[in-house]
Amino acid sequence: MVIRYAFLVIFSVMILMAGLLIADSTDKYAQLAKKVSRQYGADAEKRIISWRNTVDSVRNGTDLEKLIAVNNFFNQMDFVDDIDHWGKEDYWATPIEFLGTRGGDCEDFTIAKYFSLRELGVPDEKLRLVYVKALTLDQHHMVLAYYHKPTAIPVLLDNLDKALKPASKRRDLLPIYSFNAKNLWLSKEKGRGVLVGGSSRLSLWTDLNSRLTAFN
């Protein structure tokens, strides 16, 4: 009887703590939406709220459900070149900047998807931001790759071809390099690439993470 009572007490405390965490998270993003509204306008606040609703709707879902939801949500945003959008040749926006302005280039789409999936608990080792050459367009491009297991052919999340597809079906993309929070790889014809160091070697990635920390 004592053991059962102790279990009920522990279980009740766990439920209470989970509720407090959810409440804290909800309050945090409500404040964030208000902050974004002051900087980018009322529509930006709605986009932040819609983003949070999308994330929450698949928080307990499978990885595939998370990939689909995140890919579809961010692919609603507008493609805008950096020079027109930010007045710079190359600028990697935070997800807040991307949603606040409702647009960005391929790096911004990919970065927003990456951080959303990381928040949803998808392990970093399953994700890579992949810099490629889009052969049809004859220009550089970026996509997000998801690996179900290390030896698997990755599924690509892309703003050009909006459907989730395995990399083997994207003959129009030529990988150049890939990275995640920790590592940087140079691509090769087969396999996952050659590890060449940490992703901190990418100055745009380091700058992006510094702005993310400052925003929080």
Side-chain angles (χ1 to χ4, degrees), residues 64-211:
L64 179 59
E65 290 169 336
K66 293 172 182 178
L67 294 176
I68 292 172
V70 167
N71 192 53
N72 288 345
F73 175 78
F74 284 110
N75 281 346
Q76 299 176 82
M77 303 302 121
D78 298 324
F79 180 89
V80 189
D81 284 321
D82 282 340
I83 195 66
D84 297 323
H85 204 46
W86 303 108
K88 298 181 179 182
E89 288 293 338
D90 205 1
Y91 180 79
W92 291 7
T94 68
I96 302 304
E97 291 171 324
F98 181 49
L99 288 171
T101 59
R102 203 188 187 283
D105 66 1
C106 57
E107 290 94 347
D108 304 329
F109 281 87
T110 302
I111 288 164
K113 293 171 186 179
Y114 169 81
F115 281 109
S116 295
L117 290 171
R118 290 292 293 115
E119 183 193 344
L120 282 167
V122 178
D124 195 45
E125 58 267 23
K126 289 189 173 184
L127 296 171
R128 286 197 192 179
L129 301 92
V130 188
Y131 196 64
V132 304
K133 183 173 183 180
L135 300 176
T136 304
L137 299 176
D138 192 27
Q139 66 184 36
H140 290 126
H141 182 52
M142 186 179 282
V143 298
L144 184 63
Y146 167 84
Y147 292 81
H148 176 63
K149 56 183 180 180
T151 57
I153 294 173
V155 172
L156 301 184
L157 289 72
D158 186 13
N159 65 291
L160 289 179
D161 189 335
K162 300 180 188 298
L164 294 180
K165 291 182 179 178
S168 58
K169 298 293 185 182
R170 295 298 308 275
R171 301 295 186 184
D172 57 315
L173 303 179
L174 179 65
I176 300 172
Y177 69 83
S178 63
F179 63 98
N180 57 21
K182 296 179 181 179
N183 295 316
L184 170 67
W185 296 265
L186 288 180
S187 297
K188 57 183 182 179
E189 186 175 351
K190 294 182 180 180
R192 298 187 70 182
V194 179
L195 180 65
V196 293
S199 55
S200 58
R201 294 178 60 180
L202 300 170
S203 59
L204 288 168
W205 179 245
T206 301
D207 175 63
L208 165 68
N209 280 280
S210 296
R211 282 183 280 114

Side-chain angles (χ1 to χ4, degrees), residues 1-14:
M1 194 69 180
V2 173
I3 294 175
R4 182 182 178 186
Y5 176 75
F7 174 78
L8 290 174
V9 170
I10 294 171
F11 185 66
S12 298
V13 170
M14 290 175 64

